[in-house]
Amino acid sequence: MQNLLLENDIVRVRASLESDIDYIMKTESDPSNSPYVFQWTYDQHKAAMENPDILHLLIEDKDTNEPAGYMIVAGVLSPHKSIELMRIAVSQKNKGFGRDSIKLLLAYAFDTLGANRVWLDVKEYNYSAQSLYKYLGFAQEGLLRESVFHNGKYDSIYIMAILKKDYLKQKKN
């Protein structure tokens, strides 16, 4: 997936490189992101980049070529055609990079990879992310109560997903 490139007028999404890992770790540990995303080590990110079932993607500002965030997507080889957006973190907020990156990912997942379902989990208190996912067509499927331990307490997470038929219906409108 080294050559993967998705883009629109404002954002470019490409395969992450090992040279991007320092930026990626800085982005996920930033106080505006760290309550919502898991922290990985350098070696965990590198291993994900080498895993053929995972897309480890860098989000770039198309005008400046500067990094704007990253995404990790799992299950691209799943026989069930169920792909997980494991993580998205954006360093340049409120510029549409997250929204547009997910739109590009959905188009790639459904139109190119032949996915039937794209799903994610989101912390119960991450209201802005939930709002964005709903706007993009994701539906809440359930709540996993107190399922992750973070900063000395248990957090609950919602499972959200969009099906291909819903994506296609939304795409027509």
Side-chain angles (χ1 to χ4, degrees), residues 5-14 17 19-20 23 58-69 91-92 95 97:
L5 182 67
L6 310 171
E7 62 184 355
N8 66 13
D9 291 341
I10 69 159
V11 69
R12 178 182 303 112
V13 178
R14 64 161 173 86
L17 305 172
S19 58
D20 298 320
Y23 162 78
L58 192 76
I59 301 166
E60 295 175 327
D61 180 326
K62 192 169 175 187
D63 289 336
T64 66
N65 297 321
E66 292 294 316
S91 59
Q92 296 189 41
K95 295 182 178 180
F97 294 126

Side-chain angles (χ1 to χ4, degrees), residues 17-25 42 45-46 49:
L17 305 172
E18 187 173 351
S19 58
D20 298 320
I21 295 177
D22 287 339
Y23 162 78
I24 289 164
M25 292 179 66
Y42 188 97
H45 281 289
K46 187 175 180 217
M49 289 175 189

Side-chain angles (χ1 to χ4, degrees), residues 7 19 21 23-24 26 30 45 56 65 74 78 84 101 125 136 144-145 148 152 160:
E7 62 184 355
S19 58
I21 295 177
Y23 162 78
I24 289 164
K26 181 179 177 188
D30 183 277
H45 281 289
H56 200 299
N65 297 321
S78 168
E84 177 188 5
S101 296
Y125 52 83
L136 293 173
L144 302 176
R145 299 180 308 145
V148 294
M160 299 182 75

